[in-house]
């Protein structure tokens, strides 16, 4: 074959999907930069998630599983894909949607309408719990009192507990969240930047909280955010894409931008950061928080009062800053046990203080 003929053949071939070699490619896969067709993209996207579920033994047949659903892209794609895989591979799961209404007018009320449509579209029962019912405060009320600084700390702490309470109400065995690979890489980076060793050691775990009320799983641990967006777009899924109106999380935002820059230069960077997080060895001299229960509400806590109770107490006493900051001594020292705890106990990056993120 002459060189020019071979070149033409090669060009022709490059116009075909590099996986099936039959159809025209419509996208460049962000994770691998392969030019592939829509059908192959669906297949690799879903199959990779299935493999993650199987290899990590995320579910057992007969389990009841709640999907943390915000109406955003991550949780909407998770609900859709998990329903599909559950049917296709006979996982034998009872799936539910669990949503938290933080009480953010113009944001959560609209996104919850999307979840209500998803309930019908995917045939999954939906449970909604509100901050107002659980804590007596909406995020609108909280922001009125504290302004736009630290609002995500309140929201993240309250959401984490609200999800557990919703999961208990639904009597589920597990809670799955739409945390994707970008979120996890970002959390690894933030935990390093904050010297939060206790959280660093478990923020890459695909399942957490096995010693707590409800284990939480992240089936999208290795799924790139860009691919989730593409999947939702090509599948024409019904999701809500507006950012929270109280999203000031600048520090997290910088970490996110940094990871996006790295990804532009080297798509594998996201997986490499996750791998680095997984491979960190925590020194045996690092004191880890001991889990107990909150004396006030009975929720899991490494302190005398859980973080939600400390924050709530501050709000109810008109001293909202009381629960903010480090959980040793200081303004909220009266609620803490005598033992010295690492600063990490005061924060909850795992609860995905979301900014533009989904939970
Ligand atoms: Fe809550 Fe997220 Fe909004 Fe912060 S950005 S107030 S964590 S919903």
């Amino acid at each position: 074959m002459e060189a020019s003929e071979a070149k033409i053949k090669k060009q022709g071939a490059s116009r075909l999907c590099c996986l099936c070699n039959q159809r025209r490619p419509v996208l460049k896969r962000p994770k691998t930069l392969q030019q592939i067709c829509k059908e192959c993209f669906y297949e690799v996207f879903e199959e990779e998630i299935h493999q993650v579920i199987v290899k990590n033994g995320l579910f057992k047949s007969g389990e009841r599983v709640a999907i943390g659903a915000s109406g955003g892209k991550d949780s909407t794609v998770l609900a859709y894909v998990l329903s599909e895989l559950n049917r296709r591979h006979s996982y034998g799961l009872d799936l539910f949607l669990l949503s938290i209404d933080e009480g953010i007018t113009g944001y959560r009320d609209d996104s919850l309408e999307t979840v209500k449509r998803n309930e019908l579209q995917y045939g999954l029962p939906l449970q909604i719990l509100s901050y107002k019912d659980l804590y007596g405060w909406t995020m609108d009320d909280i922001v009125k009192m504290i302004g736009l600084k630290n609002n995500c700390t309140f929201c993240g702490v309250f959401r984490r507990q609200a999800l557990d309470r919703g999961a208990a109400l639904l009597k589920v065995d597990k809670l799955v969240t739409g945390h994707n690979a970008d979120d996890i890489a970002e959390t690894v980076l933030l935990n390093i930047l904050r010297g939060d060793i206790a959280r660093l050691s478990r923020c890459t775990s695909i399942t957490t909280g096995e010693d707590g009320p409800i284990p939480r799983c992240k089936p999208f641990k290795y799924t790139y955010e860009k691919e989730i967006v593409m999947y939702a777009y090509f599948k024409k899924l019904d999701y809500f894409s507006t950012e929270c109106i109280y999203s000031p999380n600048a520090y997290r935002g910088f970490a996110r931008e940094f990871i996006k820059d790295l990804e532009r230069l080297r798509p594998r960077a996201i997986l490499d950061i996750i791998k680095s997080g997984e491979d960190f060895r925590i020194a045996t001299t690092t004191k880890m928080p001991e889990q107990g229960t909150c004396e006030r509400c009975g929720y899991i806590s490494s302190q005398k009062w859980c973080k939600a109770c400390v924050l709530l107490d501050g709000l109810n006493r008109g001293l909202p800053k009381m629960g903010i900051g480090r959980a040793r001594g200081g303004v909220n020292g009266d609620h803490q046990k005598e033992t010295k705890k690492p600063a990490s106990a005061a924060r909850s990056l795992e609860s995905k203080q979301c900014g533009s993120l989904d939970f």
Side-chain angles (χ1 to χ4, degrees), residues 88-322:
R88 189 179 309 158
H89 298 287
S90 307
Y91 290 166
L93 304 177
D94 267 340
L95 298 174
F96 302 86
L97 297 174
L98 171 58
S99 291
I100 306 301
D101 180 1
E102 299 94 341
I104 302 175
T105 312
Y107 169 64
R108 187 56 81 213
D109 43 359
D110 292 340
S111 69
L112 284 176
E113 290 308 311
T114 312
V115 185
K116 287 176 194 164
R117 290 196 299 275
N118 292 159
E119 176 187 19
L120 303 175
Q121 289 156 350
Y122 309 149
L124 301 176
L126 166 67
Q127 173 79 52
I128 303 176
L129 268 76
S130 73
Y131 283 7
K132 185 74 183 168
D133 290 344
L134 292 174
Y135 309 112
W137 291 78
T138 63
M139 277 311 293
D140 288 338
D141 300 333
I142 294 173
V143 168
K144 255 184 223 140
M145 180 182 258
I146 66 164
L148 284 174
K149 207 171 167 217
N150 296 320
N151 55 303
C152 291
T153 301
F154 283 85
C155 195
V157 170
F158 286 171
R159 183 185 304 114
R160 179 166 188 79
Q161 196 174 104
L163 281 170
D164 278 342
R165 291 200 193 182
L169 209 65
L170 287 168
K171 294 188 174 53
V172 292
D173 303 288
K174 276 177 193 141
L175 173 65
V176 292
T177 56
H179 290 82
N180 59 46
D182 301 50
D183 299 329
I184 295 170
E186 183 185 306
T187 304
V188 168
L189 202 62
L190 281 168
N191 282 328
I192 292 172
L193 294 174
R194 288 170 162 158
D196 200 336
I197 303 303
R199 294 216 177 266
L200 179 61
S201 70
R202 60 172 194 261
C203 72
T204 54
S205 306
I206 194 159
T207 302
T208 52
E210 282 158 303
D211 52 345
I214 312 277
R216 293 172 177 232
C217 309
K218 304 176 192 106
F220 284 173
K221 178 179 170 186
Y222 301 106
T223 309
Y224 278 29
E225 183 171 80
K226 281 184 185 163
E227 300 203 349
I228 292 172
V229 175
M230 280 179 173
Y231 188 88
Y233 171 78
F234 284 120
K235 285 272 182 183
K236 298 189 173 52
L237 298 186
D238 184 4
Y239 70 95
F240 184 79
S241 56
T242 305
E243 267 191 36
C244 172
I245 54 170
Y246 302 141
S247 166
N249 223 323
Y251 199 61
R252 188 173 262 278
F254 281 127
R256 173 145 289 241
E257 278 314 304
F258 176 63
I259 287 171
K260 291 264 176 261
D261 285 347
L262 289 177
E263 185 194 5
R264 268 189 282 279
L265 297 169
R266 179 177 146 82
R268 263 207 67 85
I270 292 175
L271 294 178
D272 289 345
I273 294 171
I274 296 175
K275 173 116 184 35
S276 302
E278 285 170 341
D279 288 351
F280 269 112
R281 296 281 171 267
I282 308 301
T284 48
T285 50
T286 303
K287 193 164 174 6
M288 305 299 270
E290 293 155 27
Q291 295 294 9
T293 48
C294 170
E295 281 185 7
R296 209 179 188 203
C297 72
Y299 187 70
I300 189 166
S301 174
S302 58
Q303 308 287 329
K304 191 173 170 185
W305 284 15
C306 70
K307 190 68 184 164
C309 281
V310 173
L311 292 173
L312 201 53
D313 189 51
L315 284 173
N316 291 333
R317 287 162 62 172
L319 301 166
K321 287 190 182 150
M322 225 176 64

